[in-house]
Each structure stands twice: as C-alpha cells, then as structure tokens.
C-alpha cells in the first residue's frame, strides 16, 4: 500500500490512510440508538467466535462518477457470509429509518437495499479517497498507477467504529479478533 500512496501523491492526491483514517472493509454501515454498543459488541463476539482469519484479495482501483477513489476487494464466500450474518444480527438494533446519505442517493440501485437494511448493498472495497479533485483522479486513472495489480491481505477480526459523514473512521471503538 505504500507504493500506492506514492503513486497517488505523484498526482497530488493523498489517500485517507495518509490522513490517519483507518483502512477497512465495511460489513454493515448504519445508525444505532445511543447505548446500543454493548449489545452490538455482544452479538459480534458471538459471530466472531466461529470465524477464523481468512485471506482477501485486493483488486482494481475504481473512480466513481461522484469522484471517490476505491480499491476493490474481491468478494469471496467467507466474507459474503460474514457480511450477511453481521447484517442480520445487527439489523434489529439499528435506528428504524436512518437518514439516507447523499452518496447513497446518487446510486438509485442502492436505495431500496438501504430502505430495507438501513445500509447500502455490501460491495467490498477500501476507500482511498472520498470525493476529491476530478481532474487529478482522471489523470491518476489514465496513468499506469490506475492499473493497480491486486495484493493479498488477511482479515483477522471485526471492528466497531464511529464514522464520519463519508463512512470513514479515525478510531476503532472495539476490536474483536477471529479465532486463531
């Protein structure tokens, strides 16, 4: 990821993790009522107890129409099952009708899923940049850097974090490691 940061920097772009945001793959992003953290943690600990670390493969870089820069994470069965289990376990604890983020409104295909689950559809990725300079992103994507070849990373646990308006976090509230 260090080489990717250098490639972005060459275009005048700094990835979120260079600003102390934590790289993560979001399994379920929604709003909760105050005081629900102990219940959320308890349910996730139960889920994590049956999961062992697993490998993830990073894919290509994608520039979205709304000028986000994402690094795709190749979906695999283990990660999809985990995301589905987390969604089902936490859905009863969420705010019943959370406000829909502006970025979700920009994707009509995500609206119905958001209305049902309070979260956009699971599409694994690492966010490199929240809406940024379109010209610099376009220049980055035209060059060889935009053709990132995937690397492997290992999923070792589940984290619970508070996020900003873009779904990004500086601080993990709870870390739940998978079984060794």
């Amino acid at each position: 990821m260090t080489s990717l940061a250098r490639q972005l920097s060459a275009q005048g772009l700094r990835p979120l993790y260079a600003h102390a945001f934590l790289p993560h793959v979001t399994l379920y992003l929604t709003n909760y009522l105050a005081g629900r953290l102990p219940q959320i943690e308890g349910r996730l600990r139960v889920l994590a107890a049956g999961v062992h670390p697993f490998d993830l493969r990073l894919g290509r870089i994608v520039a979205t129409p709304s000028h986000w820069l994402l690094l795709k994470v190749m979906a695999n069965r283990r990660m999809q099952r985990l995301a589905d289990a987390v969604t089902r376990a936490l859905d009863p604890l969420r705010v019943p009708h959370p406000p829909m983020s502006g970025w979700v409104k920009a994707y009509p295909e995500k609206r119905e899923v958001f209305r049902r689950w309070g979260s956009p559809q699971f599409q694994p990725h690492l966010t490199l940049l929240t809406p940024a300079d379109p010209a610099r992103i376009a220049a980055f994507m035209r060059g060889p850097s935009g053709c990132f070849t995937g690397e492997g990373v290992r999923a070792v646990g589940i984290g619970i974090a508070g996020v900003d308006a873009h779904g990004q976090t500086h601080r993990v509230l709870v870390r739940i490691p998978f079984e060794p």
Side-chain angles (χ1 to χ4, degrees):
M1 297 292 274
T2 304
S3 66
L4 182 55
R6 278 195 300 269
Q7 293 166 348
L8 286 165
S9 181
Q11 293 296 329
L13 300 166
R14 286 186 64 206
L16 291 171
Y17 56 85
H19 294 281
F21 285 98
L22 302 173
H24 64 279
V25 176
T26 301
L27 297 176
Y28 187 51
L29 174 65
T30 193
N31 296 16
Y32 298 96
L33 296 171
R36 292 284 172 112
L37 183 59
Q39 291 172 286
I40 294 166
E41 180 180 354
R43 289 178 184 213
L44 293 181
R45 286 195 183 281
V46 168
L47 288 176
V51 179
H52 299 281
F54 57 93
D55 293 325
L56 300 173
R57 182 114 181 113
L58 301 179
R60 63 188 178 91
I61 296 173
V62 175
T64 71
S66 53
H67 312 295
W68 292 64
L69 199 61
L70 310 175
L71 179 56
K72 291 289 204 173
V73 175
M74 308 310 289
N76 66 46
R77 188 169 282 128
R78 291 180 75 185
M79 184 172 47
Q80 184 65 59
R81 277 195 307 256
L82 181 60
D84 292 346
V86 167
T87 301
R88 283 190 305 274
L90 299 184
D91 180 60
L93 302 177
R94 71 178 174 90
V95 170
H97 302 287
M100 190 177 295
S101 301
W103 67 268
V104 174
K105 292 176 186 174
Y107 297 91
E109 69 278 8
K110 293 181 183 284
R111 290 183 198 156
E112 190 55 38
V113 173
F114 186 91
R115 282 186 194 98
R116 167 55 187 99
W117 296 104
S119 178
Q121 183 176 2
F122 176 64
Q123 293 179 314
H125 66 275
L126 297 171
T127 304
L128 297 173
L129 296 169
T130 54
D133 185 328
R136 289 177 193 240
I137 288 176
F140 174 80
M141 293 302 291
R142 280 192 305 270
S145 301
C147 300
F148 179 77
T149 53
E151 297 177 6
V153 294
R154 191 142 177 89
V156 296
I158 297 175
I160 303 170
V163 298
D164 68 10
H166 294 295
Q168 304 307 307
T169 186
H170 283 289
R171 185 172 69 100
V172 174
L173 303 172
V174 178
R175 290 178 195 273
I176 304 169
F178 294 145
E179 291 184 357

